[in-house]
Amino acid sequence: MNSEFTPVISATGLFTPEESISNAELVESYNAYADKYNAENPDAEPLTHSSVEFIEKASGIKSRHVVDKASVLNADTMAPRLRERGNEEISIMAEIGVKACKAALEAANRDIADVDAVLCAASNMQRAYPAMAVEIQAELGMEHGFAFDMNVACSSATFGIQTAADYIRSGSAKSVLVVSPEITSGHLNWRDRDSHFIFGDVATALLIEAKDIAPTSHWEILGTHLKTQFSNNIRNNFGFLNRAHGGIEQDSPNTDKLFIQEGRKVFKEVVPMVAQMIIDHGEKLGLSGADLRRLWLHQANAGMNRLIAQRVLGHEASEDESPTVLDTYANTSSAGSIIAFHKHSADLAAGDTGLICSFGAGYSAGSVFVRKAA
Ligand code: CO8
C-alpha cells in the first residue's frame, strides 16, 4: 500500500497516578468496612472478609494506582473524593489525558500543529458534553481539526486505533491522537468483595499516523479487527436516565449503578471468543502464532491471558512473549494493552510482529497486528 495511506503507531504516552494501593492496604480497609457493617446491621447477612491471597491467586493483581488513595481506603467513604472543578478549569480526566498525549507527542517529536484529530476512547466520560476530546484538543493548543469521545468499555482504545487507522487509510487525516483516560476508581464499588480489587486509574495515548510522515522508529499496523457480542455479564447501569427512574444509590453495597460482573462467566465465555478472534484475524493476514514475537493483551486477569496466549501461540507463553502489567496497574480498562505495549515494545527488533488485543464489557474485543519498522 502507498505509504501515504498506510497507518502506523508513531509513539505512545503514559500517565501513571503517583499513589498506589497494595492488596494488603485494600483488604485492611474492606475488612474494617465489613466489620463496621456487621456491627451496625446485626440482622443482615454478615459480610465476609476479603483476602490478599485470594486476590493475587484469582487475578494476578498485587497493587493498583489511583487518583485519590486516602478516600478509597477510608472505610466511611470508600470512593475517590475529588473536588468538583469549575467550568473554567480543566477537568481531571482531560488533565490526565493531556499528560499522556504530551508524552506521545514528545516521543514522536511531533508538533501539535500537524495533528488532525483527537479521539478520546475510554470506558467512562467526565460528562455528557462538551466532549473530553474537545477539551483535550483545546488544552493541547490545537486550533484546527476535530475531536470526539467514544466508549466501547475495555475495548475503547483498540476501537479508537481502528477508527484512526481508517482515517489514514481513507486519506481524511494524517495524524490522530487516541487518548484513554481511565479513572475506573470512580465507577468501582469498593464495598463489593467480589470486585473491589479489580481496577486502577491511568491514562494512555497513541499517535496513529500515515507512514510517510511518521518518525523512523514506528510500528506499522498490519490489520485491525473489531468484534462485539451482547452480554449481560459485565454491566454498569449508571446513566442520565437514572434520575428519571428514581434516584442513584451510590452508597448501597451492591448497587448496579457501579461496575458489576459475573466474573466466572466472563472468564469462561471471553477466553475462547478472543482466542478464536485472534487466530481467525491472523489467518486472514497470513500470520500464525509462530510469527508473533509478542502479545500485548488486555490486562484483566492473569489466568485469562495465560489461556488466550497459549491458544494463540500453541505453547505456554513466557513473560517475554506476553508481558504482564496488571500486577502493578490492575485492570485499567481500555488502557491495559496499551500500557503493556508502551512499557514492553522498545526492545523488539525491526521486522518483529506482535499483537495488541483488548476484550471486555459489551462484550467487545479488538485485535491490532503490528510490525516494527525500525
Ligand atoms: N476475598 C476472598 N474471597 C473471595 C473474594 C475476596 N475478595 N471475592 C470472592 N471470593 C470467594 C468467593 O466468595 C468464592 O467462594 P466460594 O467458592 O466459597 O463460593 C470464591 O472466592 C471464588 O469466587 P469467584 O468464582 O468469583 O472467583 P474467580 O476465581 O472466578 O475469580 C475474578 C474472580 C478475578 C473476578 C475472575 O472471575 C475474573 O477475573 N474474571 C474475568 C473478569 C474480566 O475480565 N472482566 C472484564 C471486565 S472489565 C471491562 O470490561 C471494563 C468495564 C469498564 C470498567 C470501568 C468501571 C470500573
Side-chain angles (χ1 to χ4, degrees):
M1 198 196 284
N2 191 323
S3 71
E4 224 182 308
F5 302 110
T6 303
V8 309
I9 298 174
S10 285
T12 53
L14 172 67
F15 168 75
T16 303
E18 268 174 38
E19 295 186 325
S20 168
I21 298 177
S22 69
N23 285 343
E25 291 171 312
L26 188 72
V27 165
E28 188 186 340
S29 147
Y30 178 88
N31 291 349
Y33 155 72
D35 291 343
K36 188 164 172 262
Y37 176 90
N38 293 341
E40 288 171 359
N41 299 279
D43 299 329
E45 170 109 20
L47 297 178
T48 316
H49 276 188
S50 182
S51 101
V52 171
E53 296 68 31
F54 169 83
I55 295 171
E56 209 164 313
K57 190 160 166 279
S59 69
I61 297 164
K62 294 178 183 164
S63 59
R64 70 285 295 144
H65 291 273
V66 287
V67 292
D68 179 14
K69 176 172 176 170
S71 302
V72 164
L73 290 182
N74 182 333
D76 291 324
T77 45
M78 293 186 82
R81 287 285 181 263
L82 306 171
R83 181 182 64 81
E84 192 171 357
R85 298 183 180 188
N87 291 353
E88 303 311 316
E89 295 174 273
I90 186 169
S91 64
I92 184 166
M93 291 189 68
E95 182 178 284
I96 67 170
V98 164
K99 287 180 180 170
C101 287
K102 285 186 172 168
L105 292 167
E106 197 182 321
N109 203 15
R110 171 71 59 226
D111 192 319
I112 191 64
D114 298 326
V115 178
D116 302 309
V118 177
L119 311 188
C120 184
S123 54
N124 288 292
M125 299 302 163
Q126 177 83 34
R127 66 182 91 80
Y129 41 82
M132 281 191 290
V134 180
E135 195 182 2
I136 292 169
Q137 176 192 22
E139 188 67 19
L140 288 172
M142 207 175 134
E143 289 168 2
H144 59 284
F146 63 93
F148 62 89
D149 290 350
M150 53 185 287
N151 177 356
V152 202
C154 284
S155 288
S156 299
T158 54
F159 276 59
I161 292 174
Q162 173 159 316
T163 306
D166 284 345
Y167 290 157
I168 309 298
R169 291 169 182 138
S170 69
S172 61
K174 296 289 281 185
S175 178
V176 182
L177 276 165
V178 178
V179 52
S180 302
E182 292 286 9
I183 304 191
T184 63
S185 60
H187 262 184
L188 176 57
N189 186 349
W190 298 90
R191 294 188 168 108
D192 175 28
R193 175 174 171 264
D194 285 352
S195 64
H196 76 118
F197 53 89
I198 290 181
F199 288 99
D201 300 337
V202 82
T204 56
L206 294 135
L207 187 63
I208 311 292
E209 301 193 305
K211 192 175 172 69
D212 64 336
I213 66 155
T216 318
S217 169
H218 62 259
W219 290 82
E220 192 166 318
I221 296 174
L222 303 176
T224 54
H225 180 81
L226 309 178
K227 180 180 171 73
T228 50
Q229 183 182 303
F230 184 75
S231 167
N232 265 323
N233 290 329
I234 312 169
R235 279 195 82 105
N236 180 330
N237 287 330
F238 180 78
F240 80 103
L241 285 181
N242 292 153
R243 191 167 152 253
H245 298 150
I248 302 169
E249 311 243 340
Q250 290 286 17
D251 288 331
S252 127
N254 286 306
T255 175
D256 73 346
K257 305 301 181 290
L258 300 171
F259 169 86
I260 47 166
Q261 73 165 350
E262 295 276 354
R264 271 279 153 101
K265 287 189 187 161
V266 174
F267 196 113
K268 273 199 194 136
E269 292 172 8
V270 168
V271 166
M273 180 185 102
V274 169
Q276 202 53 51
M277 178 191 80
I278 297 170
I279 291 166
D280 293 346
H281 185 199
E283 262 172 25
K284 280 193 186 141
L285 297 170
L287 296 168
S288 71
D291 300 311
L292 298 177
R293 174 67 185 81
R294 191 164 287 165
L295 309 177
W296 299 280
L297 297 179
H298 175 54
Q299 302 284 314
N301 179 290
M304 285 174 100
N305 284 8
R306 203 162 35 246
L307 289 171
I308 291 170
Q310 178 149 20
R311 289 195 195 178
V312 170
L313 298 177
H315 61 264
E316 177 134 2
S318 64
E319 183 60 23
D320 183 63
E321 289 171 313
S322 176
T324 307
V325 299
L326 67 79
D327 52 346
T328 54
Y329 280 87
N331 182 342
T332 51
S333 194
S334 67
S337 56
I338 311 304
I339 306 173
F341 178 73
H342 175 86
K343 285 186 169 273
H344 299 285
S345 55
D347 60 315
L348 266 55
D352 279 345
T353 303
L355 168 79
I356 298 169
C357 180
S358 70
F359 40 89
Y363 296 134
S364 60
S367 53
V368 181
F369 284 89
V370 292
R371 180 166 296 147
K372 193 160 190 180

